[in-house]
Every structure is written in C-alpha cells, then in structure tokens.
Amino acid sequence: MLKDGLTLIHEHITINLSKVKGTDDTNLNCKEETIKELKELYEYGVRNIIDVTNLGMGRNVEYVNEVSKRTGINIVQSTGFYKEPFLPDIVYKYNVEELSKFMINEIDNGIDGTDTKAKVIGEIGTSKDSFEEMEKKIFEAAIIAQKKTGVVISTHTSLGTMAVEQAKLFKERGVNPKKVIIGHQDLSENLNQIKYLISEGFWVAFDTIGKNNYVLDTEKIKFLYDLQENKMIDSIVMSMDITRKSNLKYKGGIGYTYLFTRFIPMMKENGITDEFINKIFYENPRKIFGV
C-alpha cells in the first residue's frame, strides 16, 4: 500500500470548502501548481501522501489519480464524511448501517464508480468543543466499516478539541487504537491530552505544521521535544493539511516543502533527533499501514 519512502499522513490534493467558508481560497483546484510542488516533495524523498478528502469535501478521484501519475507519489484516497456543516445530504438521510455500507462499498469496490478503492476512512471529525449528533452517527458508521474491512480511521479534531471523547468512543466500541490516527493534536495546546492518547495506544498527528496563525511551530517543537524525552516517539505522525490556494508558493504561501526546508531544520536545532524524524515520516506510517 505504501511505497518505500517518506509519508505525509494528512493532506488534501484537491478540496472545496468554499460554499461554507465563503471564499474561493478554500477551493484548492490549482492542479498544475500542486503538481509542481509535489514534484519538489518527491526530491525530498516523499513517496506517499494520505489524502483524507471525502464525500462533501470536493473529493475528485480522477484529479488525484492524475496528480499521482504525474508526480510519482503514491496518493492514498479515502471514504467517509467530514463534520458539521460540511456534510452531504446522505448523512442526514441514511441511518448508521446504510452509511457504513456506503463506506464499505468504496473500500471494497471503488470510489464514485471508479476502480480506485478507498484505503482509509477519513477525515471524520468533531466540532470545536462539541460532538454533534450527525458526527456521532458518522463515527458509529465508520467503526462498523473499520471492523469489517480493517482499514485505518483518520480523524479531525477542531482546534484539537474532543480528542479524548473520540478516543473513549473508539475504545468503548472495541476498535483497535492502532487503527486510529487522531488528528490536529498539534493545535490542542494540551500536552497531557496528547500523552493520554498515546498511553491509550492511538496514533497522534501533528498535521498542521506551518499554520502559525493557530499555534506557533515553535510551540509544537517544544511538545515534540518533550515527547522525545519521554520516549513517546513511536506514536507520532506528521503533515501540513494544506487546504487553501494561499498555502501554495504561487500565491505567496509557505508551500509543501516548508516541512523540509524550515520545520525539520528547526526540529534539529532544538534537539530533536534524526531517529525521531525518521520514525515520524518513515517507520510510523509503515507500521500504521502494515508495511
């Protein structure tokens, strides 16, 4: 499932949240510019990207397949549903069992009538400080689908909140925590929460690197160093979660390579070892996906 190389655990090759967000910036439809940046990522050793764009988020299977073909990067695609208020109509119309069957079909047979099979359930999410009714329905359906297919679940936590509630639900339903990546914990500003998730066996994603408007990268590095010193590096994965045109270089943004040109050097300058970095981008993703 994964090529031999580095993996970014939570990205969107194309995404369209503009209807809700009210700005075309959140319609990431700049294919040629994305391809140019991903070719640069390839030169840094990236061979896999987990694309967690699902139904209701502007998922476009053929678009992603073209980007993968032209860059040489293996892009893993997903099934599932996001969070309020970005949910498609079927979330409101279908019951839990019907939603689970929808996901299972995309895993077993292909997404949107293509032969591209979903290999992840994600990103399924919760609202800020709240687990909404439809979000709970999605989680219950995802749990059924995960148990029947064995695929990995990748979650969204709004500003890092509700992660403990997500973890407890998975544990109560008997989901193997090693099949769950709990996202956006670098935005939580709660190191104790992160350590709790790790102690419970979950994968923890620092996957909004470069989004200093939420939490400074310097603060994220302090957390990473603490986790390293407490021998918790076997549970961390990383990405940037680029979702806007303005994130890309052609619009003056930091671009995908920021991880390698800026953030990893900052990690090293602050005492984070090559061993930890290798685990984040190489060893841990391979463990998640059974390579």
Side-chain angles (χ1 to χ4, degrees):
M1 177 174 166
L2 296 186
K3 288 185 177 180
D4 189 28
L6 308 183
T7 298
L8 301 186
I9 209 71
H10 184 119
E11 293 297 339
H12 304 275
I13 302 306
T14 182
I15 186 172
N16 187 1
L17 304 179
S18 60
K19 185 176 180 180
V20 174
K21 296 276 192 177
T23 171
D24 185 64
D25 193 33
T26 55
N27 182 10
L28 191 64
N29 58 357
C30 43
K31 185 189 295 180
E32 296 303 318
E33 290 81 3
T34 298
I35 287 170
K36 181 179 179 180
E37 292 211 19
L38 264 57
K39 285 181 177 179
E40 294 177 2
L41 276 183
Y42 189 95
E43 296 303 312
Y44 283 97
V46 174
R47 294 295 181 271
N48 308 286
I49 293 175
I50 311 304
D51 186 326
V52 291
T53 313
N54 55 39
L55 190 63
M57 300 177 80
R59 183 178 62 181
N60 188 326
V61 176
E62 297 299 345
Y63 181 115
V64 174
N65 285 342
E66 182 183 346
V67 172
S68 178
K69 183 178 180 180
R70 290 175 60 186
T71 61
I73 294 177
N74 171 43
I75 304 176
V76 175
Q77 299 196 53
S78 302
T79 187
F81 313 95
Y82 183 31
K83 61 175 284 292
E84 295 279 21
F86 302 97
L87 302 176
D89 290 343
I90 67 168
V91 172
Y92 303 95
K93 294 177 180 177
Y94 285 12
N95 62 32
V96 169
E97 190 64 34
E98 289 169 330
L99 290 176
S100 71
K101 287 180 179 178
F102 179 93
M103 295 185 226
I104 291 167
N105 179 63
E106 293 201 327
I107 293 163
D108 289 343
N109 300 311
I111 304 169
D112 296 337
T114 72
D115 59 3
T116 298
K117 296 179 180 180
K119 297 176 182 176
V120 171
I121 297 171
E123 62 181 296
I124 61 171
T126 47
S127 297
K128 184 178 183 298
D129 298 318
S130 177
F131 210 146
E132 299 296 323
E133 181 182 355
M134 290 300 110
E135 295 164 357
K136 289 179 181 177
K137 183 198 279 191
I138 292 166
F139 270 71
E140 295 287 3
I143 286 166
I144 293 170
Q146 193 285 321
K147 287 185 174 181
K148 289 187 177 178
T149 63
V151 302
V152 171
I153 293 175
S154 179
T155 82
H156 165 98
T157 63
S158 296
L159 297 181
T161 67
M162 306 306 291
V164 172
E165 289 77 6
Q166 289 184 11
K168 287 181 176 178
L169 179 61
F170 288 129
K171 297 283 276 191
E172 288 169 3
R173 298 293 184 268
V175 177
N176 178 359
K178 289 303 178 190
K179 287 290 186 177
V180 179
I181 305 164
I182 296 186
H184 308 334
Q185 288 309 289
D186 51 334
L187 300 183
S188 69
E189 300 185 272
N190 188 335
L191 188 56
N192 288 333
Q193 175 174 290
I194 292 169
K195 289 179 177 179
Y196 167 80
L197 297 173
I198 292 172
S199 70
E200 290 295 304
F202 293 93
W203 297 99
V204 171
F206 278 59
D207 52 13
T208 64
I209 302 304
K211 295 187 176 183
N212 285 286
N213 54 316
Y214 294 114
V215 176
L216 293 175
D217 283 346
T218 51
E219 296 303 308
K220 298 172 186 180
I221 287 174
K222 289 177 184 177
F223 277 21
L224 290 168
Y225 182 79
D226 185 285
L227 294 170
Q228 173 183 276
E229 296 308 288
N230 283 282
K231 297 181 170 50
M232 291 181 165
I233 64 175
D234 289 338
S235 299
I236 307 299
V237 284
M238 192 170 287
S239 217
M240 294 185 66
D241 191 25
I242 283 179
T243 58
R244 292 173 176 262
K245 293 184 180 81
S246 58
N247 296 146
L248 299 184
K249 291 179 183 178
Y250 88 105
K251 287 283 190 178
I254 58 177
Y256 283 98
T257 56
Y258 173 88
L259 260 176
F260 299 93
T261 61
R262 296 286 302 280
F263 192 74
I264 289 177
M266 285 170 58
M267 290 169 72
K268 292 181 178 181
E269 289 167 7
N270 286 275
I272 295 173
T273 66
D274 287 335
E275 177 191 7
F276 190 1
I277 294 166
N278 186 60
K279 289 202 175 208
I280 289 172
F281 292 105
Y282 184 75
E283 292 182 26
N284 293 346
R286 291 171 71 82
K287 289 177 183 176
I288 291 171
F289 293 104
V291 179

